[in-house]
Amino acid sequence: MERIRVIDSHTGGEPTRVIVPGQIDLPEMPIVEQADYWNTHHANLRGALCNEPYGSDIIVGAWLGPSEVADYRLIFFNNVGLIGMCGHGLIGVMETLSFLGEDVNRSVTFETRKGVVSAKRDAETALTTIQNVASYRYRKEVPVRLATGQSVTGDIAYGGNWFFLCEDHRLELAYANIPQLMQLSVEIRRSLESQGITGENGAQIDHIELTQTVADHHGRNFVLCPGLAYDRSPCGTGTSAKLASLAEEGKLSPGETWVQESITGSQFEARYQPDGELVIPHISGRAFVTAESELYFNNRDPFHRGIPQAENLP
Ligand code: PYC
């Protein structure tokens, strides 16, 4: 029977499941190829870690390994495949490394598929601040027609993943409205695909971020993730995309704090420093370890590879 040790945490309500390092060796190759190898050769295990009955489709998984350019190599994944960068996940990884006895009260570097990022966890406050990949707004106020007849507009921005940031959705971003928010976000994503609206170089926009201003320098969001679960946290890469849009609009200056609140009420504090046309996001949040487990995969169990999720949009 195969056994895998994992540490679970949540960041602002959104779970991260870290495979305890050293259990799964991947062939030495550049990170993009190595991540593809993990995604294809270990697809069953990836699915089991992020699907019922072992977990659920809201889990973001993390594999850590050796890197030649950073302290760790870090591959993020979920129930339907790989995730480029993951802000809440990086905060969860830092909390997990601290739990495992690593010194993370220093700048720790991680090689991700989208570039090298870094993070530091303050030992006194347990607050982790990440420095994300360079982020930017690609297109402003792009109109999208929905099958329902409604039209919405949104900015297309990159924050380690591609986002469509929509403010004119006409829904209240309230927990009670999650079914309607889900329906609209899925509809927007489907429409982006059918109308061929993409990120730069044809990149798929696989995150939809509905936004709402709460107060000066304070916004709320609802983020639909690639596996069609919504982010319980304020979404680190989505917050980075938002910072890029705000910076382009001249609504947030370098070093000023933006409070990004999630649909569950959890918050990140975010700032940026300019880098030419791009912004370098700094995002602070807290994670908590929820479990240290050994998962048993008994091949006589018909669900030992999880209950598969639909790979495509419904
Ligand atoms: O925090 O960047 C994030 C994220 C991406 C998908 C889920 N969370």
Side-chain angles (χ1 to χ4, degrees):
M1 181 160 54
E2 192 180 4
R3 296 163 181 234
I4 303 279
R5 283 176 54 229
V6 296
I7 312 260
D8 289 338
S9 63
H10 81 86
T11 310
E14 181 78 352
T16 307
R17 172 165 281 175
V18 176
I19 300 171
V20 173
Q23 297 176 97
I24 300 169
D25 288 332
L26 299 178
E28 281 180 33
M29 40 175 82
I31 185 163
V32 172
E33 283 90 333
Q34 193 181 46
D36 284 343
Y37 183 95
W38 158 252
N39 196 31
T40 50
H41 288 76
H42 294 279
N44 288 338
L45 179 58
R46 173 183 57 69
L49 291 170
C50 301
N51 277 319
E52 299 167 8
Y54 293 92
S56 80
D57 61 354
I58 72 170
I59 288 179
V60 169
W63 176 91
L64 285 162
S67 166
E68 286 179 4
V69 297
D71 294 316
Y72 295 94
R73 202 170 246 198
L74 173 54
I75 297 172
F76 287 116
F77 55 93
N78 72 356
N79 59 327
V80 293
L82 299 170
I83 298 182
M85 227 308 279
C86 183
H88 95 266
L90 182 54
I91 296 170
V93 165
M94 287 291 282
E95 197 60 32
T96 297
L97 289 174
S98 170
F99 179 82
L100 290 171
E102 297 288 321
D103 174 15
V104 288
N105 191 15
R106 64 182 176 99
S107 176
V108 186
T109 54
F110 298 87
E111 179 189 12
T112 74
R113 282 169 66 234
K114 300 298 171 182
V116 174
V117 296
S118 65
K120 182 174 180 205
R121 177 184 181 277
D122 185 289
E124 297 232 321
T125 61
L127 195 69
T128 290
T129 299
I130 67 169
Q131 178 175 310
N132 194 10
V133 294
S135 303
Y136 62 102
R137 181 170 73 180
Y138 171 55
R139 290 179 65 192
K140 177 181 175 172
E141 289 172 13
V142 177
V144 184
R145 273 171 290 100
L146 309 182
T148 53
Q150 187 186 347
S151 279
V152 293
T153 57
D155 285 1
I156 299 175
Y158 179 77
N161 296 302
W162 281 100
F163 287 81
F164 185 80
L165 296 125
C166 173
E167 181 122 20
D168 65 358
H169 44 77
R170 285 179 265 165
L171 286 172
E172 177 69 14
L173 293 196
Y175 195 76
N177 289 341
I178 283 175
Q180 296 92 309
L181 295 165
M182 281 296 285
Q183 198 178 350
L184 177 65
S185 307
V186 170
E187 187 57 43
I188 294 175
R189 200 180 138 187
R190 196 186 274 139
S191 302
L192 290 172
E193 289 196 357
S194 67
Q195 288 161 44
I197 300 171
T198 66
E200 202 170 7
N201 299 321
Q204 186 191 34
I205 301 171
D206 56 4
H207 289 72
I208 308 301
E209 181 165 357
L210 307 181
T211 62
Q212 184 177 313
T213 304
V214 173
D216 192 28
H217 290 162
H218 182 164
R220 184 175 301 138
N221 68 16
F222 173 88
V223 178
L224 181 75
C225 296
L228 302 188
Y230 73 89
D231 198 331
R232 275 64 174 167
S233 85
C235 191
T237 50
T239 302
S240 302
K242 179 72 183 173
L243 289 178
S245 271
L246 290 166
E248 274 285 316
E249 282 303 297
K251 290 186 174 165
L252 190 73
S253 303
E256 278 188 320
T257 299
W258 174 261
V259 177
Q260 185 63 64
E261 183 175 319
S262 72
I263 193 71
T264 64
S266 54
Q267 294 187 352
F268 288 161
E269 281 197 359
R271 291 169 202 86
Y272 72 89
Q273 63 193 72
D275 179 15
E277 304 277 281
L278 313 173
V279 303
I280 308 291
H282 295 257
I283 294 167
S284 303
R286 205 169 270 125
F288 295 89
V289 168
T290 53
E292 179 179 19
S293 324
E294 188 163 36
L295 305 178
Y296 299 156
F297 300 102
N298 181 343
N299 58 18
R300 298 173 70 180
D301 172 357
F303 289 130
H304 76 288
R305 288 316 186 194
I307 301 172
Q309 298 281 311
E311 298 273 329
N312 299 313
L313 289 170

